[in-house]
Amino acid sequence: MSVPLKDVLVVGLGAVGTIYAHILKRSGLARVTVVARSNYDAVREHGMHIDSKKYGSIPAWRPDRLFNSVAEAADRPYSYVVLTTKAVPEVSKTPSVLAALLSPPYTDSHPQPTYVLLQNGMGVERDLYASIQALGQGDPRIISTVVWIATNLASKNEVTHNHFDRLTLGMYRHGDHLTTSNTAEESAIVDDFGAMLEAGGTEVLLVPEIQRYKFAKTFWNIVFSSFATLTDSPLTAIFRPPPNAEEGESYVPYLAHVTERFVREETLPVMQSILEEMVSLGRAMGFPDEEGGLPSSLAAQTISNTAALHRHPAANYLPSMLLDYRNAYPIEVEVIFGEVVRMARERNVPIPRIETLYALLTVIQNQILGGFKTARNT
């Protein structure tokens, strides 16, 4: 006997939204409705072209249903609503993005779904939690995540993806990042959604406390997204050796011999110090020095793992913040850098290097939101 399909709404059809909408539909367990915004017309007319080293080449892929607004999609109850848009509260808070699901007539006719936030940063769940709680329809159910994936939106209806995607899932507990066990209800929710994703082919890790994993993911963004954006350079400019002409290699950028010593002696130690500030903040938040907590080795490990990925001659991944900057799209300053700075100040933890990055990126955000930055070809 076939299992009844669960209705899942995916909000946002960028690179991450496309890959995970495809995974959910591929599972055979979900009827997938997608809200596309700026690329709605292109996808409606031509479908989404997916070029994935893992899932293959899929021309003109389409979800089961496609709309250009959440209001249009709010015509039925959903088991899950998956938000894949970038969290930029300076522009639009999550409750306003999902307003049609958080107000009449939807709330008069349908129960609240479980919300799944595929978003970078810390504290991205708070505003949504408060809005759901204000409805008086029971405890909010929010799954928070850590997304590890290398995928880019090449055009409005073309997504490239390498061979890897992994999602860490855990229930959001408002004001609590130290409880490390699920209730039976929490386990049932994450197990169900996780099984759907696994059936679609992605790698899934279910954890009883998600915030420490989100904090650890923020390590990467704090140092590498900032350096790439502030220098307008891919990470290969820091880590990749010069091409071997005798073997026919040809690529740019790379770490030139003339500056290699300065990067090794100046740039990399500063990166290490930035991540050690993050470790100090994590300790003040109560995350233990252990696997599943916040191991002290994570600072050096984050740099060495990233270096290994970006030394390869074929490496071409660009951090999404750098892509947003080049396209003059708002960048995730507040939920990554601003949130970390505020958490540190609340706990009297000095993080001067991260405060400097926050200050510089705030100027870039001003240029973008003020309309002073124009997009350029990447």
Side-chain angles (χ1 to χ4, degrees), residues 36-357:
R37 297 185 294 179
S38 61
N39 59 349
Y40 169 78
D41 289 334
V43 177
R44 179 176 58 84
E45 293 176 15
H46 306 292
M48 179 67 80
H49 304 299
I50 300 174
D51 183 11
S52 170
K53 293 181 180 178
K54 179 175 180 179
Y55 300 109
S57 178
I58 309 167
W61 178 85
R62 286 179 168 85
D64 295 297
R65 304 195 309 155
L66 181 71
F67 296 101
N68 66 356
S69 71
V70 175
E72 287 185 345
D75 61 353
R76 63 183 62 191
Y78 291 99
S79 296
Y80 299 97
V81 172
V82 183
L83 183 62
T84 70
T85 57
K86 291 184 183 296
V88 187
E90 311 96 294
V91 176
S92 181
K93 294 182 182 295
T94 296
S96 65
V97 175
L98 301 174
L101 303 175
L102 299 168
S103 58
Y106 190 85
T107 53
D108 293 336
S109 306
H110 306 300
Q112 281 295 289
T114 296
Y115 292 91
V116 185
L117 304 186
L118 270 62
Q119 295 180 311
N120 284 326
M122 305 294 296
V124 296
E125 312 92 347
R126 280 197 302 264
D127 291 337
L128 177 60
Y129 181 93
S131 294
I132 301 169
Q133 191 175 51
L135 297 174
Q137 295 185 356
D139 292 334
R141 299 184 306 277
I142 300 174
I143 296 175
S144 200
T145 69
V146 176
V147 183
W148 292 103
I149 188 171
T151 182
N152 291 134
L153 191 66
S155 70
K156 287 189 175 183
N157 69 320
E158 182 182 1
V159 167
T160 60
H161 171 237
N162 71 2
H163 59 278
F164 179 74
D165 45 81
R166 184 179 73 215
L167 200 60
T168 303
L169 304 176
M171 294 301 297
Y172 172 69
R173 302 184 186 98
H174 187 63
D176 178 4
H177 61 268
L178 297 178
T179 297
T180 56
S181 60
N182 281 330
T183 65
E185 181 185 6
E186 289 172 336
S187 291
I189 293 170
V190 293
D191 287 350
D192 181 67
F193 190 68
M196 195 180 299
L197 291 168
E198 284 186 329
T202 194
E203 182 180 338
V204 177
L205 175 64
L206 306 180
V207 298
E209 202 291 301
I210 188 64
Q211 294 305 317
R212 62 196 62 199
Y213 289 87
K214 289 185 69 66
F215 190 83
K217 169 67 183 293
T218 300
F219 264 56
W220 196 96
N221 283 313
I222 281 285
V223 67
F224 293 116
S225 289
S226 63
F227 272 59
T229 303
L230 290 167
T231 63
D232 194 12
S233 301
L235 299 177
T236 48
I238 300 173
F239 297 116
R240 186 160 59 185
N244 188 328
E246 294 181 359
E247 296 183 3
E249 290 182 342
S250 176
Y251 52 73
V252 291
Y254 54 82
L255 186 57
H257 290 303
V258 68
T259 53
E260 186 274 336
R261 178 173 66 87
F262 300 105
V263 170
R264 185 180 69 250
E265 296 178 358
E266 303 295 337
T267 306
L268 296 183
V270 169
M271 288 181 164
Q272 177 78 21
S273 297
I274 290 168
L275 294 180
E276 287 172 356
E277 289 183 356
M278 288 289 289
V279 171
S280 297
L281 175 56
R283 292 287 172 270
M285 294 175 66
F287 296 143
D289 187 359
E290 62 187 29
E291 292 298 326
L294 190 72
S296 296
S297 60
L298 187 60
Q301 182 183 350
T302 298
I303 294 174
S304 62
N305 288 350
T306 302
L309 288 172
H310 291 86
R311 288 192 187 108
H312 195 276
N316 60 3
Y317 173 71
L318 299 178
S320 62
M321 183 177 285
L322 173 57
L323 279 174
D324 288 339
Y325 167 70
R326 289 181 173 181
N327 287 308
Y329 297 153
I331 58 177
E332 297 164 308
V333 178
E334 288 303 319
V335 297
I336 297 176
F337 299 87
E339 193 67 19
V340 165
V341 167
R342 288 184 285 272
M343 290 190 300
R345 289 173 179 170
E346 288 172 5
R347 295 165 176 81
N348 295 314
V349 177
I351 54 167
R353 296 170 183 85
I354 297 174
E355 286 178 328
T356 300
L357 295 174

Side-chain angles (χ1 to χ4, degrees), residues 8-27:
V8 178
L9 174 62
V10 177
V11 179
L13 198 62
V16 172
T18 295
I19 296 300
Y20 278 100
H22 169 64
I23 288 168
L24 287 164
K25 184 175 179 180
R26 190 172 183 263
S27 74

